[in-house]
Amino acid sequence: MYVAVKGGERAIRNAHRLLADKRRGPRNLPDITLEQIASQLALSVDRIMAEGSLYDRDLAALAMKQARGDLIEAIFLVRAYRTTAPRFGFSEPIDTSKMSIERRVSATFKDLPGGQLLGSTFDYTHRLLDPTLQGAEIEQAARADVTDEDRPMPRVTDLLAHEELIEGDGEAEEGAEVGDLTREPLSFPAERDLRLQTLARGDEGFLLGLGYSTQRGYSRTHPFVGEIRVGMVEVEIEIPELGFTVSIGEIQVTECQMVTQFQGSAKAPPQFTRGYGLVFGQGERKAMAMSLVDRALRAREFGEDVVAPAQDEEFVLSHSDNVQSTGFVEHLKLPHYVDFQAELDLVRRMRREYEDRTADEGKEAAE
Amino acid sequence: MNETAAIDAKDAAPVYNFAYLDEQTKRMIRRALLKAVAIPGYQVPFASREMPMPYGWGTGGVQVTASVLGPDDVLKVIDQGADDTTNAVAIRGFFEKTARVATTTVTEEATVIQTRHRIPETRLGANQILVYQVPIPEPLRYLEPREVETRKMHGLAEYGLMHVKLYEDIAKHGHIAATYAYPVNVNGRYVMDPSPIPKFDNPKMDDCEALQLFGAGREKRIYAIPPHTSVVSLDFEDHPFKVQEFSEPCALCGSRGVYLDEVILDDRGGRMFVCSDTDYCERHRPEDGTAPVAVWEEER
Amino acid sequence: MTGATQADTYSGGFRQPVFDAQGVFRVALDALARPGRIMPLAARTKPPRPMPPLLADILSALADQDTSVFLCPALLAKAPSAAGWVRFQTGAANVKNPAEADFVVASHPENLPPLSQLSPGTPDYPDRSATVLVAVPGFDGGLPVTLSGPGIKDKIAFSPDGMSRGLWQQLVANHALYPRGIDVIFVAGEAVVGLPRSTRIEIGEV
């Protein structure tokens, strides 16, 4: 006699035990420490913080270890933790012009006040696998002393603004509330604050593809990297009881200001416009892609025709979150046999009708 | 009963609130639920949270359940009609851990039933709440992908597009091709997606004694059907709505008029049909255990 | 602020915030899901007198910093510390203009602002509408009305005390806005009755 499959509970328990075993890997190898992950796989940790929207290196490293290095799974772990954390307040806007700079490049000016500072970068490395990294203790990498640059480094966009060649920073009106899509559901059309928040949390790969598409002509904006800067900024919070702001610490961020074209209109003289990208940690690729997509999404504001995917606000914002997309794509592996049974029935019925019909036609043709 | 529950018995920390969600989130969801009940079939936007399970795996239903659940509730969780499918087991375990509520597989004993893809065969009562997990809450989404547009259509009760689509199906296939997530009109006003239940279950929603709540986590929508509310499956005079009929009874309990799963027995076309509602099936088996096993052979 | 009102403000809230809020919400949900039915609800809060405790219970369960509350001037005149109590216990902002309020609270139907002033939501977002919490002297003895619609099997009679014909007419007009409109929860003693916008109201007996 047929007996329905049972024991889901035990199967799940066993699967999770196996997962824990695989995560640990061969026992003759040392267990990887969170400190090692946070320091030696720092860019993965940065991405987890950025898309997990939680600035906490230790938790991001823990999530990475728990997720066996699967970044989207780690981002998901961090998000699920973040959503339960109580909210004590909101920080003041960070001031990136006061950043203590680790890296700063501009593609628009050969030299500029404060100069260019390469910092640590993959740029200009020869992408040749480095055998010296194979054995951990063989070759100690040369120590490099890093001193944060203290000389003033005004933002390139501020320099251009003196001549009014570029639009100003998007100043919010006095008392305007900044939206938060983690507290209010997104509705359309969405303003730039919510768009930027969505992009900052958005999947790097998705935004990279969209940003790339704008370069290939799907909403071309003639972008120039005005500036990319990476460094530490202070986070300040206003304490209502005290009536002034206090610093609660520093965070590392990457900012990209993309300078883009605008022809001007009947009302406004020609002027450069901007796309903006900002992410936690060092994440240049993401910040750049974000700035391209931000600019493309401003089509409505500049009266540009919405013709390309990157300009389509609802399309971009609804599909950029990898926790959402991975959940829904992967849910297809859940049982669907009830729906499938309904479809089977319909297809069988329609095939019978089709066969009856063709049989009838065959008979008629014979007659 | 404590207001907090440790998520892991072994490890006292971290400690989460009763039923996992923080109180502010619950209040936000509860306000949305009250509006949803006041406007049957209308999708109320809510600030859905990331849950410790993936979007698309029941996060909307879980948030609704977590917001209605109290310490005296008895919870049942089903997926595809069954209490023992893996995702149902995982969600039931989640609430056992975070809310320490009593759980059951017996439909009549439950005060809150969370479901994916089915309505139980047992008639629901006035003391029960049925919580549906919803993947895509917008019935018009496959016809018009833009929220801006579909919201307008609902605002104006402009559902012509849906009728055109259904009629095109009839013209092309001789049938309305929707077999699950079959659209309904609620209280004569809103066209609503009943979640991917088979259309076999649609009639159970109409004039139901129980309160029906729908949660779509990824899409951030909550909607509801109060008890005794008219729920009409869309159809046409010349093509009235009809539910799927099975020619055989359940091979295990012999029940007719219930929804059946098709089980493939071998690679020669051998198959059997058994109740999708495992609780109903188990409690309708003949006492002597000699249920007729009908193996359905493909008609040739 | 005097010592006495401070004590008023900081005490009298939910004793078990998680379970109290859940218990009150479930009854409110049931009340709006089954309009016209009298749902028992034991009061859990002790707000400044003479604010009816069930009004304070429902606010404590549902209002917070993301919502705004309008307390009718008659209630504030009799219980001046009620505003501070609601503010402290829920975090909700008190607003002077009922049109801006998510929750409109009145200690008697006569003290309600004209319902047409309250937010009925928009055609695209009918959920962005006010919820009215109003205390009545009792659930019988008033002008009888007959209710029907979602949540009601056939029809149900309802005759809360203190409701004038004019106010019922305003509620009839509210239903005519459907799917826009306000939703009402009546409280009296230790019970509540829901009246969502979806309910059809006929003034007169069944």
Side-chain angles (χ1 to χ4, degrees):
Chain A
M1 174 165 155
Y2 171 78
V3 180
V5 184
K6 290 262 181 197
E9 209 153 339
R10 210 180 56 210
I12 291 175
R13 237 189 351 258
N14 288 341
H16 292 172
R17 246 201 331 258
L18 191 57
L19 171 70
D21 180 61
K22 292 264 183 200
R23 179 189 296 125
R24 177 57 185 84
R27 302 302 198 271
N28 60 341
L29 295 177
D31 192 28
I32 190 169
T33 66
L34 299 189
E35 290 77 10
Q36 286 173 324
I37 293 172
S39 56
Q40 296 177 38
L41 300 174
L43 298 186
S44 285
V45 168
D46 284 352
R47 181 169 172 199
I48 295 166
M49 294 198 303
E51 293 171 33
S53 32
L54 184 73
Y55 194 92
D56 188 320
R57 254 172 221 293
D58 299 337
L59 285 180
L62 171 62
M64 169 126 164
K65 181 174 179 177
Q66 189 177 332
R68 302 181 65 203
D70 179 333
L71 293 191
I72 292 183
E73 179 68 22
I75 289 161
F76 180 17
L77 288 169
V78 166
R79 289 268 194 94
Y81 171 79
R82 177 194 188 278
T83 195
T84 64
R87 243 150 231 258
F88 299 116
F90 299 90
S91 78
E92 296 295 302
I94 56 171
D95 186 350
T96 52
S97 72
K98 295 197 182 129
M99 179 185 279
S100 103
I101 300 257
E102 294 160 29
R103 168 167 162 78
R104 185 241 207 154
V105 290
S106 170
T108 47
F109 297 101
K110 183 170 184 184
D111 201 4
L112 65 165
Q116 310 246 13
L117 178 67
L118 277 186
S120 81
T121 179
F122 294 120
D123 298 349
Y124 318 115
T125 60
H126 298 141
R127 265 64 172 202
L128 303 170
L129 285 171
D130 180 355
T132 64
L133 293 174
Q134 285 181 96
E137 283 124 79
I138 298 169
E139 188 77 27
Q140 286 291 337
R143 271 176 202 288
D145 288 323
V146 182
T147 44
D148 289 344
E149 298 293 319
D150 287 339
R151 58 177 184 269
M153 291 201 189
R155 288 182 295 210
V156 169
T157 46
D158 296 341
L159 300 171
L160 277 169
H162 289 313
E163 289 181 71
E164 294 188 5
L165 289 173
I166 193 163
E167 61 169 336
D169 266 323
E171 289 284 334
E173 280 172 47
E174 193 66 33
E177 282 198 25
V178 181
D180 180 353
L181 66 93
T182 68
R183 314 305 285 177
E184 290 286 328
L186 199 55
S187 58
F188 300 104
E191 291 310 311
R192 197 171 175 207
D193 52 346
L194 285 167
R195 296 200 305 255
L196 286 169
Q197 186 189 13
T198 312
L199 298 180
R201 290 158 56 93
D203 182 73
E204 179 172 315
F206 181 72
L207 297 185
L208 182 65
L210 282 174
Y212 177 47
S213 74
T214 68
Q215 290 178 283
R216 290 197 65 260
Y218 290 85
S219 156
R220 185 128 188 259
T221 54
H222 306 271
F224 299 92
V225 168
E227 182 175 12
I228 293 167
R229 49 172 63 201
V230 183
M232 304 297 288
V233 292
E234 239 172 20
V235 179
E236 295 184 325
I237 189 160
E238 193 186 297
I239 311 283
E241 286 79 8
L242 301 178
F244 54 83
T245 61
V246 294
S247 168
I248 55 167
E250 283 193 320
I251 59 171
Q252 188 192 37
V253 296
T254 302
E255 181 186 59
C256 174
Q257 298 252 16
M258 200 64 86
V259 176
T260 55
Q261 199 177 47
F262 177 50
Q263 306 287 3
S265 67
K267 281 188 219 144
Q271 200 180 28
F272 289 110
T273 55
R274 320 193 208 186
Y276 187 74
L278 183 93
V279 295
F280 284 154
Q282 183 164 2
E284 282 170 42
R285 184 187 302 122
K286 165 74 181 282
M288 292 174 77
M290 175 176 170
S291 65
L292 289 172
V293 178
D294 169 51
R295 175 59 186 82
L297 287 176
R298 296 177 69 197
R300 186 159 40 94
E301 192 183 328
F302 296 124
E304 296 163 346
D305 292 335
V306 175
V307 291
Q311 296 172 300
D312 184 330
E313 173 178 294
E314 209 179 316
F315 178 78
V316 173
L317 300 186
S318 301
H319 302 112
S320 60
D321 189 296
N322 54 28
V323 177
Q324 287 174 12
S325 39
T326 201
F328 202 45
V329 167
E330 293 196 52
H331 109 285
L332 291 172
K333 64 192 164 191
L334 289 181
H336 281 82
Y337 27 79
V338 163
D339 321 353
F340 188 68
Q341 181 56 44
E343 295 281 87
L344 261 182
D345 178 70
L346 180 68
V347 172
R348 283 187 180 130
R349 199 143 33 94
M350 284 166 57
R351 282 183 65 88
R352 270 199 304 276
E353 285 165 6
Y354 174 85
E355 279 160 19
D356 292 349
R357 221 167 33 240
T358 44
D360 285 350
E361 278 162 17
K363 243 185 270 166
E364 275 165 32
E367 277 163 12
Chain B
M1 168 85 57
N2 269 325
E3 293 198 327
T4 56
I7 192 100
D8 187 340
K10 269 202 321 245
D11 180 0
V15 172
Y16 292 93
N17 193 25
F18 176 81
Y20 180 77
L21 292 177
D22 58 283
E23 289 302 298
Q24 199 184 343
T25 298
K26 286 185 196 166
R27 271 193 301 273
M28 176 270 295
I29 293 171
R30 286 168 179 165
R31 290 194 295 264
L33 284 168
L34 294 182
K35 289 299 171 192
V37 162
I39 320 166
Y42 164 75
Q43 303 163 50
V44 181
F46 81 110
S48 173
R49 304 293 197 239
E50 277 102 353
M51 297 297 288
M53 59 209 48
Y55 283 122
W57 296 51
T59 57
V62 166
Q63 289 180 79
V64 169
T65 298
S67 301
V68 303
L69 211 58
D72 301 329
D73 276 309
V74 180
L75 178 69
K76 172 182 164 84
V77 183
I78 50 173
D79 188 341
Q80 314 294 303
D83 297 89
D84 59 354
T85 33
T86 42
N87 206 41
V89 169
I91 291 172
R92 187 166 56 241
F94 176 74
F95 283 113
E96 281 168 350
K97 251 193 300 203
T98 59
R100 310 240 166 117
V101 290
T103 56
T104 184
T105 58
V106 179
T107 302
E108 291 93 324
E109 286 175 2
T111 55
V112 177
I113 302 171
Q114 180 166 328
T115 181
R116 178 168 171 265
H117 294 193
R118 276 310 310 275
I119 299 175
E121 304 292 359
T122 309
R123 189 176 286 278
L124 299 177
N127 60 337
Q128 295 182 304
I129 296 177
L130 183 60
V131 178
Y132 296 74
Q133 300 172 200
V134 182
I136 301 275
E138 179 50 73
L140 305 167
R141 186 59 74 233
Y142 300 109
L143 309 174
E144 168 53 63
R146 271 162 218 289
E147 171 71 12
V148 175
E149 296 300 322
T150 52
R151 192 154 281 277
K152 244 182 263 163
M153 292 180 196
H154 285 297
L156 301 168
E158 177 50 67
Y159 295 124
L161 195 60
M162 177 64 90
H163 288 278
V164 168
K165 157 80 175 87
L166 295 179
Y167 214 87
E168 275 175 6
D169 276 6
I170 293 170
K172 215 192 290 178
H173 312 295
H175 297 277
I176 291 174
T179 56
Y180 60 91
Y182 189 102
V184 294
N185 185 300
V186 180
N187 187 31
R189 177 57 178 77
Y190 284 101
V191 167
M192 189 196 91
D193 182 314
S195 87
I197 57 172
K199 67 178 183 174
F200 178 90
D201 282 339
N202 275 18
K204 298 176 185 167
M205 290 186 289
D206 180 45
D207 194 28
C208 176
E209 283 268 350
L211 171 61
Q212 301 173 76
L213 305 176
F214 299 76
R218 194 178 35 74
E219 299 280 339
K220 301 177 170 54
R221 298 289 184 272
I222 280 173
Y223 49 105
I225 306 174
H228 302 298
T229 298
S230 126
V231 178
V232 179
S233 301
L234 302 187
D235 65 356
F236 300 94
E237 255 176 40
D238 49 346
H239 279 88
F241 174 81
K242 265 197 301 220
V243 301
Q244 181 174 350
E245 282 170 14
F246 294 86
S247 50
E248 302 290 328
C250 168
L252 297 180
C253 72
S255 292
R256 291 181 185 274
V258 294
Y259 196 78
L260 303 176
D261 283 341
E262 179 171 338
V263 180
I264 297 185
L265 298 171
D266 54 42
D267 58 2
R268 299 181 307 277
R271 63 199 69 203
M272 68 192 285
F273 285 84
V274 297
C275 282
S276 117
D277 184 335
T278 49
D279 169 59
Y280 184 88
C281 190
E282 277 162 26
R283 291 189 297 119
H284 283 77
R285 303 255 169 95
E287 303 254 312
D288 57 5
T290 56
V293 180
V295 178
W296 184 82
E297 295 291 341
E298 188 123 37
E299 287 167 30
R300 286 281 165 199
Chain C
M1 203 183 268
T2 69
T5 52
Q6 266 190 25
D8 270 3
T9 301
Y10 300 134
S11 68
F14 282 152
R15 302 180 68 143
Q16 284 196 301
V18 174
F19 294 146
D20 285 343
Q22 188 271 341
V24 172
F25 160 73
R26 269 290 273 280
V27 174
L29 178 69
D30 216 18
L32 284 172
R34 294 175 166 83
R37 281 237 220 140
I38 297 169
M39 306 283 178
L41 177 61
R44 288 157 163 90
T45 61
K46 289 194 179 113
R49 283 170 202 234
M51 181 172 183
L54 283 187
L55 295 180
D57 273 30
I58 298 172
L59 283 178
S60 301
L62 297 173
D64 58 25
Q65 50 269 45
D66 295 335
T67 61
S68 54
V69 174
F70 171 86
L71 299 172
C72 71
L75 173 61
L76 288 177
K78 281 190 209 148
S81 54
W85 190 91
V86 169
R87 169 89 198 146
F88 176 78
Q89 298 290 343
T90 70
N94 285 290
V95 292
K96 293 264 180 292
N97 179 1
E100 295 166 8
D102 298 307
F103 294 98
V104 173
V105 182
S107 50
H108 189 280
E110 282 171 6
N111 304 333
L112 280 170
L115 301 186
S116 59
Q117 283 182 12
L118 310 183
S119 169
T122 66
D124 286 359
Y125 294 96
D127 56 304
R128 296 178 182 172
S129 61
T131 303
V132 171
L133 312 176
V134 57
V136 292
F139 285 133
D140 50 24
L143 180 66
V145 297
T146 304
L147 310 179
S148 58
I152 302 169
K153 194 166 177 64
D154 305 325
K155 290 179 175 195
I156 190 167
F158 185 39
S159 52
D161 197 9
M163 289 286 293
S164 66
R165 178 174 292 271
L167 202 47
W168 277 120
Q169 281 162 345
Q170 290 185 48
L171 285 167
V172 170
N174 178 61
H175 171 68
L177 297 176
Y178 189 83
R180 292 186 307 141
I182 58 160
D183 308 302
V184 183
I185 299 176
F186 294 96
V187 314
E190 297 225 305
V192 303
V193 172
L195 186 71
R197 70 193 78 180
S198 56
T199 302
R200 283 182 290 282
I201 303 165
E202 292 165 74
I203 301 175
E205 306 215 26
V206 178

